[in-house]
Amino acid sequence: MAHDQPTAPSTIGSEKWDICTPSATSENTTKNALTCEIPRFSIPWPGRTFIIRSQTTAQVITFLDGEVILDKPGGLGTYRWKCVETEGWMGFKDPASAQYLGFQEHGLLFCRVPHHRRNEYMCTRMRPEGGCVLLVSYGDSLCPVGVFAEETGNRVKPKIKVMDWDSEGIVWDFIEVQSHEE
């Protein structure tokens, strides 16, 4: 090797180690990632994927263990919903199971049908204060979707249900996210 050529630093037997390290600890990085600022609102639109979040609790509509519940973002269940359109009606499909968000006869939301029909038809109504009311075609009316507490043993599980207009409404934020299909 010629004297004027640069040499690569030796790491074996060297007293000096050049190790690249992050400028933040993993604890800080994780904490910052979990508390990062999420946009408040996107307009629901067919072909896009959304997280549907309660403005009141910051919890999200989640499909977990065969039930549709309100849960913290990033939990074990599916909380990303692909917005679809059929005959002008919106709907929300779980990309993982290919099942649609809909409601059963008692108004509880579920996610267990492979089609987008009347019980899966939804629309949103924007509010002047921000956010949306999520509405479903229920009987001959449009009714809001809200949250109620189901007590099971010693636990209270927040479930999603079709409510009447006299109930305290819930305001939802639709947060657009990248689809895993893209």
Side-chain angles (χ1 to χ4, degrees), residues 1-11 14 16 18:
M1 186 181 298
H3 231 308
D4 56 345
Q5 288 184 331
T7 60
S10 171
T11 56
S14 172
K16 181 180 177 202
D18 292 325

Side-chain angles (χ1 to χ4, degrees), residues 71-88:
D71 198 11
K72 66 182 186 275
L76 295 177
T78 302
Y79 56 93
R80 294 172 187 252
W81 301 95
K82 179 90 173 192
C83 185
V84 299
E85 182 180 12
T86 303
E87 298 176 4

